[in-house]
Amino acid sequence: MAKWGEGDPRWVVEHRNDGKNVNSWHWEETSKLEWTKQRLSELLPGLSADLPAEKGSVTVTKVKDVAGDACITTRKGNRKLPLFDLRITLEVEGQLAGYDSKVTGEYKLEEFCSGGDDDDIIFTATVTGTGTHQDEVKRVIEGMRGRVLDRLRTFLTDFQAL
């Protein structure tokens, strides 16, 4: 083991007053939350599902909120580790055949994280108002889980490629 000051001058192990991370040797974290919000806003709106017996359809109208963390952590300049832990709120709208009014609601996804499985994500559907039409729309929203997961897998592939 070399004594302090007797090491190879190429080693960058001494304290630096300027705080520079030479050659990205130490951990660096780059926030990707804005990119995540933009990408999810491209992937999820427009996603739709039909009500049974052609009674209407339900569509994701927009990504209302994305909260949490999304970053790329880099070690030694080349080892990249994408990390995220997100809560996503989607606005949904249901149109029933033969009715002028639309049923609106939200589809919330919690615990969508880089280290988790599809089963770890908590999906919660809510609709405004009560009644049989709202119940039908809510069931269809809850049934959109697989389609939403497909889009989230696309997001995951894109995020890992950054």
Side-chain angles (χ1 to χ4, degrees), residues 28-102:
E28 284 186 344
E29 185 174 291
T30 307
S31 176
K32 295 296 181 185
L33 188 58
E34 289 305 315
W35 179 90
T36 297
K37 289 177 181 180
Q38 179 184 353
R39 187 64 181 132
L40 290 173
S41 293
E42 294 168 0
L43 288 172
L44 294 169
L47 189 63
S48 64
D50 293 329
L51 274 76
E54 299 181 10
K55 291 183 182 177
S57 64
V58 175
T59 305
V60 174
T61 56
K62 75 175 199 173
V63 176
K64 183 177 181 180
D65 186 41
V66 176
D69 297 313
C71 65
I72 301 290
T73 303
T74 308
R75 170 75 169 138
K76 296 185 180 180
N78 61 359
R79 280 198 234 154
K80 291 186 177 185
L81 181 64
L83 301 171
F84 60 90
D85 186 1
L86 302 170
R87 291 174 307 286
I88 305 166
T89 304
L90 307 174
E91 281 189 8
V92 294
E93 184 176 271
Q95 179 65 50
L96 289 117
Y99 295 94
D100 293 334
S101 62
K102 295 181 181 183

